[in-house]
Amino acid sequence: MRISSLLTLTSALLMAPTAVSAAGRLGFTLGPQRPDGSCKEQRDFEEDFDAIKAQSGSTLVRSFSSSDCNIAQTILPAAKAKDFQVMLAVWPDTEESFQKDKQALQKYATEEFAKQLYGVIVGSEVFYRGNFTGEQLLDKINDIKRILPKGVKCGPADTWNKLADGTADAVIRGGADLFLVNGFAYWQAQPITNASATYFYDMASAIAHIQTVAGGPDKTPEIFGGETGWPSKGGTNYGPAEASDENAATYFSQSVCGMLTWGVNLFYFSAMDEPGKPDSVGENGQSANEKHWGAMTADRKAKYDLSCK
Ligand SMILES: *[C@@H]1O[C@H](CO)[C@@H](O)[C@H](O)[C@H]1NC(C)=O
Ligand SMILES: *[C@@H]1O[C@H](CO)[C@@H](O)[C@H](O)[C@H]1NC(C)=O
């Protein structure tokens, strides 16, 4: 690992005085469906939360929508019952999906759940896909921000390179108060031996740029690693990035626990295997199996040590 050299390079930028000794907060991405594809209900989320907390100590999850499977309605009461916090999301890509998620938030993200709703992500990798300019997404973020209970943060999730190269600057200057930075050494076709160096480089690049545009660490909005992870056995290899249980465990302990030690909050993709998830097509044009990215199996058993101890 090259943590110490990167730490020297960027520690002045990264560490606000208040955050010197704090370890980052770990969260997990969580899907709205049971392994059989049916929609989770409140009690399913409660069981998810029990397993996540028991295995990792985490009390934070994020979703990719607010309306899929009626997730805002079911997950917020579950979070209240189990003392969890949640980030919900809005899919702004079409007017229809934007309105569906917005209406779900208006209906269910009420003051009653203001403590459970940590934030709302507006847009997942829209800059990576080239769908919006910074100004266009900022309008959507401000639209959602207006309907949220006071104190609930709001901002975009995008790939590290798009948050580092200026594409998102209008959103940073516009005052979004939450940024999620996605970084996958796996999708950068890195061998596991260079995976944590790559993840640290990705995160440091995005964080440094956001801090610079925001005008310094004390003016910087809250930043989380939005998604990172590594597939275990059964997943697809991506060039030199090989899916295996051993590599997934190594990635978790070196890259995920390492980044938390560095003081950065992050979400691991994903909490559990999703057997119903369709294959995706990678940048190499080949179909990739996305069913085996869970830190836990579909029946909620940890695949490796998730305690970061
Ligand atoms: C977003 O971008 C992708 C890739 O360029 C494109 O296929 C898709 O149609 C776009 N969606 C919208 C809503 O513009
Ligand atoms: C390892 O990762 C670093 C950071 O992303 C990169 O600059 C370097 O080229 C990588 N090394 C190899 C051998 O791919």
Side-chain angles (χ1 to χ4, degrees), residues 2 6 160 185 188-191 193-202 240:
R2 291 177 23 198
L6 274 168
W160 68 274
Q188 289 167 263
Q190 293 294 312
T193 47
N194 201 39
S196 64
T198 299
Y199 186 51
F200 273 75
Y201 174 82
D202 296 352

Side-chain angles (χ1 to χ4, degrees), residues 212-276:
T212 302
V213 175
D218 53 329
K219 297 196 185 82
T220 296
E222 185 157 28
I223 299 174
F224 273 77
E227 293 179 47
T228 196
W230 197 278
S232 56
K233 190 163 162 270
T236 311
N237 295 341
Y238 194 69
E242 290 176 10
S244 76
D245 290 353
E246 193 190 346
N247 286 352
T250 299
Y251 191 77
F252 196 90
S253 71
Q254 292 186 353
S255 303
V256 172
C257 300
M259 188 61 65
L260 294 169
T261 304
W262 207 31
V264 178
N265 307 317
L266 70 90
F267 287 94
Y268 190 76
F269 175 91
S270 58
M272 283 145 220
D273 282 348
E274 295 174 63

Side-chain angles (χ1 to χ4, degrees), residues 86-88 114 117-122 141 144-145 148-155 176-179 220-224:
V86 176
M87 287 192 198
L88 292 172
L117 185 60
Y118 192 96
V120 173
I121 312 307
V122 181
I141 291 168
I144 295 298
K145 180 91 184 161
L148 297 177
K150 203 161 163 278
V152 177
K153 294 178 182 246
C154 193
D177 47 16
L178 181 65
F179 283 79
T220 296
E222 185 157 28
I223 299 174
F224 273 77

